[in-house]
Amino acid sequence: MALASSGSGAEGSGDRSIWTRPERGRRGPAPAHSRETIVGTAIQLADTGGLDAVSMRAVAAGLGMAVASLYRHLSSREDLLDLMVDRCVGELSPYPQGTGSWQDELTGLARRQLALFQRHPWLREAIGHGPKPGPHTLSYFDECLRILRPVRCGTAAKFEAIAMLTGVVSLFAAAVPAPDASSAPAPGFGDVDPAAYPHLVAAVAEPAGDAPRRDLFERTVRGLLTGLLADDPG
């Protein structure tokens, strides 16, 4: 997962990105653990205990190594989070090359992203910190732009739509799973005086309707994409 680079590893790396540094310094013995193994251990900790459970000390303990040895691979916890995010985004690939419309393809990708966030609930928080994009993250953006290639609008509008799409997926991933809206029971209001809220009472009293509705996630995603891009003159 690392990108090839010259240099001497984490020590003395300064402001260099984790993506431009080699996995280890050229001096000293070969490490007992690969960067891939370190990241996998950190992800397991986050999946179990959330992002707060991921510290350099906790990861080192999980690998049975000293913290100082871990710093030969990574210069900071931020490096580790960047690697974790990118590894998880890589779970979205390989990307299926659909034959439907761009709305169909992006909706399908959004569903895959929703499943990803549900597998790794901490990922929403980690992405919110603005990690430096790695190769898997860049591939995700590249795929989104491939899907949006037929859309006649500017690049800025496309990136805005991609960001908004991730935001919507994040909101759905954070929500507690609920029954389909068409079959959900009407909310109860206890001892509230109905006369004070006539419109609310009337709405609850109305029949839900016989026509089934598409699931809320799909309706929201398609509505967002249509509103942001379909009518954009570019």
Side-chain angles (χ1 to χ4, degrees), residues 5-22 71-79 82 132:
S5 167
S6 61
S8 58
E11 294 118 346
S13 59
D15 295 329
R16 293 172 61 195
S17 165
I18 187 64
W19 307 114
T20 62
R21 299 202 305 266
Y71 276 102
R72 294 185 61 228
H73 298 267
L74 309 166
S75 63
S76 66
R77 182 174 181 266
E78 285 67 34
D79 281 351
D82 287 350
K132 299 181 183 69

Side-chain angles (χ1 to χ4, degrees), residues 23-40:
E23 289 199 18
R24 59 177 293 266
R26 289 177 291 188
R27 295 174 295 180
H33 301 285
S34 67
R35 182 182 284 180
E36 199 76 10
T37 302
I38 293 169
V39 175

Side-chain angles (χ1 to χ4, degrees), residues 39-128:
V39 175
T41 299
I43 289 174
Q44 290 176 359
L45 288 172
D47 287 346
T48 302
L51 210 54
D52 289 342
V54 179
S55 66
M56 300 293 275
R57 186 174 300 276
V59 172
L63 292 166
M65 63 190 298
V67 179
S69 297
L70 185 58
Y71 276 102
R72 294 185 61 228
H73 298 267
L74 309 166
S75 63
S76 66
R77 182 174 181 266
E78 285 67 34
D79 281 351
L80 183 59
L81 295 181
D82 287 350
L83 291 167
M84 291 167 63
V85 168
D86 196 64
R87 163 83 77 83
C88 289
V89 173
E91 295 178 21
L92 294 172
S93 63
Y95 298 104
Q97 302 298 303
T99 57
S101 66
W102 64 267
Q103 292 97 330
D104 293 335
E105 287 201 68
L106 268 188
T107 300
L109 183 55
R111 286 195 181 280
R112 291 163 67 90
Q113 192 177 35
L114 177 62
L116 177 68
F117 284 176
Q118 290 170 335
R119 286 195 303 273
H120 306 292
W122 55 270
L123 190 56
R124 295 178 292 105
E125 179 184 352
I127 289 177

